[in-house]
Amino acid sequence: MKIINYNLIIIALLCVVGCSKKENSNQPQKEDMENIQVSDYGVTAKDDSIKKYTLTNKNGMKMEVINFGGIITSLTAPDKNGKYEDVVLGFTKPEDYFNGNPYYFGALIGRYGNRIANAKFTLEGKTYNIDKNDGPNSLHGGKEGFHTKFWNIEPVKDAKFPTLKLTYTSADGEEGYPGKLSTTVFYTLTDDNALEISYEATTDKETVVNLTQHSYFNLSGNFSKTITDHELQINADKFSPVNETLIPTGEQKPVKGSPFDFTTSKPIGKDINANDDQLKKGKGYDHNWILNGSGMRSIAKVYHPESGRVMEVLTDEPGVQFYSGNFLDGKFDTKTGGKNEFRTGFCLETQHFPDSPNQASFPSTELKPGQKYQTKTIYKFSVKK
C-alpha cells in the first residue's frame, strides 16, 4: 500500500508555479490587446524606461508610438499596389529622440504649439516669461516642452478600434506657464486607415494652451526624396504673413495670386522658390493658413502621384501650419537610407494661430479653471490610382 505524502506534493506544486512565474517574468512583455503590442524601446538619460506601442488595424496598417514625448515613430500607409510603407520621418536610434529631437519628429507639442513673440505674454494683468528657445521667441512650449516628457500610456480596452490614452500633468510654472495643466490625448487607428487624435486639457489657474502633433510626412515612403512633387490643397483663402523672426504680423492676407494659394491642388515645389518676401523669411513655407469654415471639416489633401497615396486632414481647429521641412539639414540618417535633407518631409500642424496670446484679434487660446480644452484632428489615408 502506497502512502501519499501530501506535504511533498504541495511543495512540489508551489515550486513549479514559482518557477513558471519567474520564467515568465523574463519573457518579453505580452501584448495588452490583440491589436496593440507593447515592447521595450530604450532608456533615457533620466533612467526612464521607454516602451513602444504598436497599433494594427484590420487592413494591416501599423502605427508605433513611444511614451517619450508621445512620439509617433512609424506610421504605414498603402500605395496604389497595396504595399504598406512607413510615411513619417524619424530617427534610426532611440537616443536621438531622447537627446533633444531638434526637428520635433512625431512629437506631441505643448503647452503651446508654434511661436510666442519675445517669449512672454500677459494674463489678468500679470506678465509671464517663458522659455526663449527660438531666437527672441518661444517655440513649441520651450526647450523642455511636452515633446521631452514621459507620458503615461494605457491601451483603451473597450474601444472600437485600437486606441491609446496618453496622459501628462504639467506643473504650475513649468517652462514659465501658469497653472497645473492636466492633459489627455487619444491616438486611434481606425479601419478606414485614419489616425484620429483627440486632445483634452484642464487647468487650476488661467493659462494658455495650443496642442498639436508634429509628424513629418513623406508619402513616397522614401525619406531621402524631397516632398516637392507632392500635390497639396488647403481650404484657406487667407494666410498669416510673418516678420523676420517668423511671428505673425497680425495681417490676414489673401492667398489669391500668390505662391501661398493652395485653394486648388498644386505641387508643393511649384512656387516654393518664387521671388517672394514671405518665402524668403521662412526659407520656404512655414506659415499659418487661416482655414475656411468651422467645426470638424476637411481642410487639406496631399497626393503623391508616383505612389498613389493620398492623405486628407480633417480638424475643428481654425488654423494649420504648413511647414515644408526647410530646416532639415541632413545631420541624421533616415529610416530608409540616406539623410534627412532639406525638404524631405512636410508638416500640417492643426492648431490655433501662432502668438495668439499677444494678438487680441486672433482666436483666443486662454483656458480658465472649470473649462475643458477639446480639439480633434484626423489624418486619413487612401489611394488614387
Side-chain angles (χ1 to χ4, degrees):
M1 181 178 180
K2 285 187 179 178
I3 299 175
I4 300 173
N5 190 327
Y6 289 101
N7 288 332
L8 287 175
I9 291 174
I10 291 169
I11 292 169
L13 286 171
L14 288 173
C15 181
V16 169
V17 171
C19 291
S20 176
K21 285 183 177 180
K22 185 176 181 180
E23 182 181 339
N24 288 338
S25 69
N26 292 327
Q27 292 176 350
Q29 186 171 353
K30 298 207 181 262
E31 59 188 46
D32 287 0
M33 298 166 61
E34 184 180 351
N35 50 16
I36 301 178
Q37 293 184 328
V38 188
S39 57
D40 292 326
Y41 186 74
V43 179
T44 70
K46 296 179 180 179
D47 209 31
D48 286 323
S49 179
I50 304 305
K51 299 291 184 183
K52 180 177 73 175
Y53 297 76
T54 302
L55 284 66
T56 307
N57 73 3
K58 71 174 185 180
N59 308 315
M61 182 178 183
K62 291 182 183 291
M63 177 173 69
E64 296 178 353
V65 179
I66 58 174
N67 54 355
F68 182 88
I71 292 169
I72 297 172
T73 60
S74 177
L75 179 66
T76 67
D79 68 4
K80 58 189 175 185
N81 299 313
K83 182 181 180 182
Y84 280 82
E85 290 181 298
D86 194 358
V87 294
V88 293
L89 274 64
F91 297 115
T92 58
K93 303 173 185 175
E95 55 265 31
D96 292 332
Y97 289 111
F98 306 155
N99 298 334
N101 190 0
Y103 314 119
Y104 303 91
F105 279 160
L108 287 174
I109 301 298
R111 292 187 185 190
Y112 200 95
N114 220 309
R115 296 173 175 88
I116 294 180
N118 301 309
K120 63 181 179 180
F121 59 89
T122 301
L123 278 177
E124 297 182 318
K126 182 177 179 179
T127 298
Y128 293 91
N129 293 295
I130 55 178
D131 186 48
K132 193 178 289 186
N133 66 325
D134 184 49
N137 308 316
S138 184
L139 175 65
H140 293 332
K143 185 179 179 182
E144 300 293 328
F146 285 8
H147 65 290
T148 69
K149 303 303 181 182
F150 182 89
W151 289 73
N152 183 65
I153 296 185
E154 301 173 22
V156 179
K157 297 185 183 300
D158 58 350
K160 183 178 181 181
F161 304 112
T163 300
L164 297 177
K165 179 183 179 182
L166 298 85
T167 53
Y168 174 70
T169 299
S170 176
D172 182 18
E174 185 175 275
E175 293 297 275
Y177 287 90
K180 182 176 80 170
L181 190 77
S182 300
T183 306
T184 302
V185 179
F186 293 92
Y187 284 150
T188 299
L189 192 62
T190 70
D191 282 345
D192 60 352
N193 286 358
L195 165 59
E196 296 184 356
I197 308 172
S198 300
Y199 307 84
E200 300 174 1
T202 57
T203 184
D204 65 355
K205 186 187 294 185
E206 186 170 9
T207 190
V208 296
V209 60
N210 188 30
L211 306 179
T212 192
Q213 222 291 333
H214 209 295
S215 285
Y216 289 70
F217 298 94
N218 186 324
L219 301 184
S220 75
N222 183 340
F223 303 128
S224 62
K225 288 186 175 181
T226 68
I227 44 80
T228 52
D229 62 342
H230 289 50
E231 297 176 7
L232 171 65
Q233 183 259 332
I234 304 176
N235 295 330
D237 296 325
K238 297 178 181 178
F239 80 104
S240 303
V242 295
N243 65 17
E244 298 295 338
T245 65
L246 303 182
I247 294 293
T249 63
E251 181 185 2
Q252 297 189 9
K253 190 173 182 178
V255 299
K256 189 174 181 179
S258 80
F260 291 80
D261 189 354
F262 285 93
T263 52
T264 57
S265 184
K266 69 177 181 182
I268 290 171
K270 182 178 179 183
D271 300 315
I272 202 168
N273 295 316
N275 185 18
D276 180 274
D277 177 63
Q278 284 296 306
L279 288 173
K280 290 177 181 177
K281 285 175 177 172
K283 297 185 179 179
Y285 299 109
D286 191 6
H287 298 73
N288 172 63
W289 268 253
I290 300 162
L291 298 171
N292 298 336
S294 61
M296 181 60 68
R297 72 268 190 221
S298 177
I299 61 98
K301 280 188 179 179
V302 188
Y303 168 54
H304 182 247
E306 185 179 344
S307 68
R309 290 188 178 96
V310 177
M311 184 179 79
E312 181 181 12
V313 185
L314 302 93
T315 191
D316 54 12
E317 288 281 3
V320 65
Q321 186 85 3
F322 168 46
Y323 170 53
S324 53
N326 315 309
F327 297 100
L328 295 173
D329 51 15
K331 290 183 179 177
F332 295 87
D333 295 331
T334 80
K335 294 181 284 182
T336 57
K339 300 286 184 178
N340 287 309
E341 302 283 1
F342 184 59
R343 295 179 183 161
T344 52
F346 69 89
C347 302
L348 287 166
E349 304 158 63
T350 56
Q351 57 190 19
H352 272 54
F353 304 167
D355 199 38
S356 289
N358 295 312
Q359 306 211 28
S361 64
F362 288 179
S364 175
T365 54
E366 294 181 13
L367 183 68
K368 303 181 190 312
Q371 296 178 334
K372 189 174 187 179
Y373 171 95
Q374 284 185 297
T375 182
K376 185 175 184 178
T377 292
I378 300 171
Y379 297 93
K380 186 175 181 181
F381 295 87
S382 60
V383 172
K384 181 178 176 182
K385 294 185 179 180

